[in-house]
Structure formats: structure tokens, C-alpha cells
Amino acid sequence: MNGVLIVTGGSRGIGAAICELAASRGYDVVVNYSGDPVPAEDVAARVREHGRQAVSVRADVSVEEDVRALFDAAAELGPVTALVNNAAVTGNTPGRLDAYDVEVVRRTLDVNVTGVFLCCREAVLRMSTRYGGAGGAIVNVSSTAARTGSAGEWVHYAASKAAVDTLTFGLAQEVGGEGVRVNAVRPGMIRTGLHDAAGLPDRLDRLAPSIPMGRPGEPAEIAEAVLFLLSPASSFTTGAVLEAGGGR
Ligand code: NAP
């Protein structure tokens, strides 16, 4: 029994893989989503097949009251010990920065940065020994885009992920002495619906030759990296960013 894990954006792709692997490692899991409840409930059902508790909870991570309600729902399963900030959006319309709509940029930053801030704040208030908690672990899902800049596709998304990295370093220092570890994983090109949704169905195959390992990654490979950083196997690791991009 590893306690209660909240995975934001747990209904599809990388988030769903994290939920399932976490269940197999003994976590009870809160599967968060903001849109379609059906895939989220499917993931929750697969968690229960591992004999663990699971609930799917609709909450937009960029909305303060939603985030509070998400953590309250999680607390009904038991004390929250782990959080994975995985939910993110790209804006879905790739292009150069000078062609971008400011409202798309605002929404991307709101979900990808403010959402991570809100969930981290709520987690610290409940996990930190400073507030009577028993400690815990947070993993933020960043992207190799934070380094590469994603020119011609979504520079604003890349910048949002660089902000996630910085938030990870800073928060890790603030709560390092309070029983809470904060780390990040930077996935590279991963086979999920994110690319299709952005109108780039051939993106992974097109870019595969630029990946030293010669292929895109699978969601389960990212889940392994995340579960390592949540687990006691990484007990002296905080403020770290783990690259999981096949060398790119
Ligand atoms: P995905 O397949 O598009 O899934 C995104 C998840 O986030 C869905 O469960 C979605 O559910 C949820 N979501 C979106 N907006 C939300 C909001 N405002 N509040 C709560 N949940 C929200 O994405 P993915 O490819 O698995 O990516 C997961 C993470 O990995 C993201 O942080 C992404 O930036 C990062 N990443 C992905 C890749 C890649 O190649 N796929 C590469 C690098 C980094 P609803 O639609 O129901 O809200």
C-alpha cells in the first residue's frame, strides 16, 4: 500500500499509463480529467482490477475551486501522498509564434503553468510536515520542448514547460526539509493522441529519424520514469529533471 496518488489528465495517453502502473505498484488512484468522463472511468475501472481504490474526478486544473474539490475527493480515499501534474494542452494549432492567437497562448499557460502551481500548492498544504502532513512526492510532467523550443510548432507550449521545470527546482528547495520531494520528467516524442489532436497525425513518424534511438516512446515508458521518482527508490532525489526522450 503506497497511499493515494492524484494524476491530473489521467484519462488518456501518458496519464492513463501512469494510473495503471501506479495501481500495479499499490497506489490508490484519483483519475482526473476535464472533458469526456468515459475514458477516465475506463482507466479507474482498470485500476480497480489491480485491487486498488479508484475514482475519476472532473476538474479543470486551471480553476482554483476545481483543484480544491479534486483534492477533497482524493482525501476520501485516504491521505494524499503523491501527485503527478500531467495535464497539459498545446493549443492544437501548430505554427510560428507570429501567427499565434493570444487567447490560445493564455489558455496554454493557464492550464500548463497555473494548473501546476494550483495543484502543487494544494499538495503542499496537505502533504508538508509544516502543515501537519506526513510528507509525499510530486512529479511534474514537463517536455524536452523546454530545451528545444519547438520552433514552428508551439513555442508558447515549450515556454510553459520551461516554467514547469523552474517551478520544480524552486518548490523542491522550499519543501525539501518538510518531507515533500518535487521532481520532473521530460518526455520526448511519445505515441499518444496529442499529435493527432494538434492536426499533425504524421508528426511522430516524420520526426522519428531525429531521435537517436530511432523511434518514438510509448506512454508506459514515461510511466516507469514517473513511478521511479514517486517511489522510495528515489528517496534522496529532489529538484531533478529526468530526460526520457530517446536521446533527443
Ligand atoms: P493527451 O493524450 O492529450 O492527454 C491529456 C490529458 O490531460 C487528458 O486526460 C485530458 O483530458 C487532460 N486535460 C487537458 N486539459 C485539462 C485540464 N484543463 N484539466 C484537467 N485535465 C486536462 O496528452 P499526452 O500526450 O498524454 O501528454 C501528457 C503530458 O505529457 C502533458 O503534460 C504533455 O505536455 C506531456 N508530453 C507529451 C509528449 C507527447 O509526445 N505526447 C511529449 C512531451 C511531453 P480531458 O481532455 O478530458 O480534459
Side-chain angles (χ1 to χ4, degrees):
M1 162 67 178
N2 270 322
V4 176
L5 163 67
I6 298 175
V7 180
T8 69
S11 63
R12 297 195 307 266
I14 293 169
I18 294 167
C19 291
E20 286 197 58
L21 188 63
S24 77
R25 304 262 168 97
Y27 289 88
D28 295 323
V29 182
V30 178
V31 184
N32 160 252
Y33 66 101
S34 72
D36 186 355
V38 175
E41 194 38 53
D42 285 350
V43 173
R46 291 203 289 280
V47 169
R48 289 183 205 109
E49 283 170 12
H50 288 276
R52 306 308 321 170
Q53 301 184 84
V55 284
S56 59
V57 179
R58 188 199 296 266
D60 181 336
V61 293
S62 70
V63 177
E64 198 168 10
E65 309 82 73
D66 282 19
V67 170
R68 211 167 287 131
L70 171 65
F71 277 75
D72 286 345
E76 288 181 20
L77 301 186
V80 176
T81 55
L83 164 69
V84 178
N85 283 306
N86 167 79
V89 293
T90 57
N92 283 2
T93 45
R96 284 168 51 106
L97 181 147
D98 47 20
Y100 250 92
D101 184 311
V102 69
E103 290 310 322
V104 173
V105 173
R106 286 206 170 101
R107 178 66 186 154
T108 304
L109 294 175
D110 218 18
V111 173
N112 299 8
V113 183
T114 309
V116 173
F117 157 75
L118 287 172
C119 291
C120 282
R121 187 177 67 177
E122 202 61 36
V124 167
L125 290 171
R126 293 169 193 246
M127 291 176 185
S128 164
T129 53
R130 183 189 186 98
Y131 301 108
I138 299 173
V139 176
N140 297 323
V141 180
S142 174
S143 171
T144 52
R147 270 192 294 103
T148 65
S150 297
E153 289 189 326
W154 34 57
V155 168
H156 62 290
Y157 165 83
S160 78
K161 293 300 189 177
V164 167
D165 289 354
T166 306
L167 189 151
T168 302
F169 307 140
L171 180 61
Q173 293 169 52
E174 289 184 348
V175 298
E178 300 172 13
V180 182
R181 294 184 301 108
V182 188
N183 292 291
V185 172
R186 277 190 194 144
M189 307 280 170
I190 309 300
R191 206 173 285 288
T192 72
L194 177 144
H195 314 278
D196 285 7
L200 298 171
D202 67 337
R203 183 167 186 261
L204 292 174
D205 294 330
R206 185 168 38 86
L207 293 173
S210 70
I211 302 169
M213 287 182 70
R215 64 169 179 87
E218 298 297 329
E221 297 180 286
I222 303 307
E224 289 284 357
V226 169
L227 263 293
F228 165 68
L229 290 172
L230 288 179
S231 79
S234 62
S235 55
F236 198 53
T237 301
T238 196
V241 177
L242 178 52
E243 297 278 343
R248 185 172 186 265

